[in-house]
């Protein structure tokens, strides 16, 4: 590893597209540190990634949720550190076979990727903990994978309503030790961006086990 690169402060503004993969064997080498973003296709995952990286074009946002069917990797200025955009689920108007295919690839990535440090689960604060969200929480708990939850689109609610929603989410998740961060988030107002970046840095910069 380049000592100069490894000593640089981690900058999320440095994020650049690396590669897309449809299968695990097409992913970059399983080394370094990755944090993956997952969420239903209409939860605002792409917008959240773009806000965190201050790059409005990094992750593709589409008026047709579910367009992204690949695992997309983004490099950062720290050698071996990557952000990963997983395919969105649960909303796309595609065939059952296609959905099953996506689920299979997602499962392979989550189960077999050794450099995965944590998962960011993006959910709409107005419609939290859908069946898909709960499935991902349960998976992280079972596999002892650190979980960060971004409750997105907080700007769509009055602040009091948003706080009440956050308290409700926290109450439902209090038994899950995998949940390390629960962040109220808005890609529009940038609420929660700094908190998210700080948590991501802690995961990516932590020494490997």
């Amino acid at each position: 590893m380049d000592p100069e690169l490894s000593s640089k402060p981690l900058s999320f503004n440095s994020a650049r597209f690396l590669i897309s993969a449809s299968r695990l064997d097409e992913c970059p080498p399983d080394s370094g540190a990755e944090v993956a973003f997952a969420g239903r296709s209409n939860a605002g995952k792409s917008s959240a990634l773009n806000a965190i990286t201050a790059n409005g074009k990094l992750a593709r946002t589409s008026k047709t949720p579910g367009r992204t069917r690949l695992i997309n990797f983004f490099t950062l200025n720290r050698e071996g550190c990557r952000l990963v955009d997983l395919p969105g689920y649960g909303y796309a108007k595609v065939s059952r076979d296609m959905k099953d295919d996506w689920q299979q690839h997602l499962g392979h990535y989550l189960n077999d990727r050794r450099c995965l440090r944590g998962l960011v689960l993006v959910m709409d604060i107005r419609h939290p903990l859908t069946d898909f969200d709960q499935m991902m929480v349960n998976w992280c708990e079972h596999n002892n994978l650190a979980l960060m939850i971004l409750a997105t689109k907080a700007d769509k609610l009055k602040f009091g309503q948003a706080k009440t929603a956050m308290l409700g989410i926290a109450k439902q998740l209090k038994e899950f030790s995998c949940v390390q961060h629960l962040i109220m988030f808005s890609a529009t107002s940038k609420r929660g961006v700094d908190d998210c970046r700080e948590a991501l840095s802690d995961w990516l910069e932590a020494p490997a086990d």
Side-chain angles (χ1 to χ4, degrees):
M1 180 180 290
D2 186 335
E4 187 174 328
L5 279 175
S6 63
S7 63
K8 283 184 178 180
L10 196 59
S11 169
F12 292 97
N13 295 29
S14 71
R16 297 290 183 271
F17 174 75
L18 175 63
I19 194 171
S20 293
S22 62
R23 303 188 311 271
L24 190 65
D25 59 10
E26 295 174 349
C27 295
D30 193 355
S31 60
E34 290 176 355
V35 174
F37 286 69
R40 280 173 59 89
S41 301
N42 56 341
K45 177 166 58 70
S46 295
S47 296
L49 264 167
N50 291 346
I52 291 162
T53 59
N55 183 344
K57 296 180 179 179
L58 186 77
R60 294 179 182 175
T61 56
S62 172
K63 292 181 179 179
T64 306
R67 278 279 174 82
T68 304
R69 303 172 187 179
L70 301 170
I71 302 172
N72 295 306
F73 293 82
F74 304 97
T75 60
L76 296 171
N77 65 321
R78 181 73 64 84
E79 187 176 355
C81 289
R82 295 175 295 273
L83 301 179
V84 185
D85 185 11
L86 300 174
Y89 291 88
Y91 192 84
K93 296 179 180 178
V94 296
S95 70
R96 168 63 62 181
D97 286 347
M98 179 67 78
K99 285 188 179 181
D100 290 345
D101 196 40
W102 292 357
Q103 291 282 8
Q104 184 179 25
H105 294 318
L106 176 64
H108 286 162
Y109 173 82
L110 292 173
N111 284 312
D112 299 332
R113 196 71 171 166
R114 301 275 70 84
C115 65
L116 183 62
R117 296 291 182 83
L119 184 74
V120 180
L121 180 58
V122 179
M123 61 177 72
D124 188 328
I125 193 171
R126 301 166 299 174
H127 313 288
L129 293 170
T130 64
D131 290 345
F132 171 80
D133 298 331
Q134 194 62 60
M135 178 184 76
M136 297 304 295
V137 172
N138 292 341
W139 189 92
C140 288
E141 184 75 3
H142 179 73
N143 291 279
N144 297 312
L145 182 67
L147 179 63
M148 181 193 315
I149 291 177
L150 297 187
T152 60
K153 306 188 182 182
D155 57 286
K156 304 291 186 183
L157 297 177
K158 293 180 179 179
F159 185 71
Q161 293 174 315
K163 287 290 286 184
T164 299
M166 292 295 288
L167 288 171
I169 297 169
K171 184 177 180 180
Q172 291 184 68
L173 294 174
K174 66 180 181 179
E175 303 299 328
F176 292 89
S177 60
C178 64
V179 181
Q180 295 189 2
H181 306 281
L182 172 58
I183 299 173
M184 186 191 299
F185 194 91
S186 167
T188 302
S189 70
K190 304 300 185 285
R191 173 181 289 277
V193 167
D194 288 342
D195 290 340
C196 182
R197 286 176 169 179
E198 184 177 347
L200 288 171
S201 294
D202 287 344
W203 283 355
L204 290 167
E205 295 180 329
D209 291 338

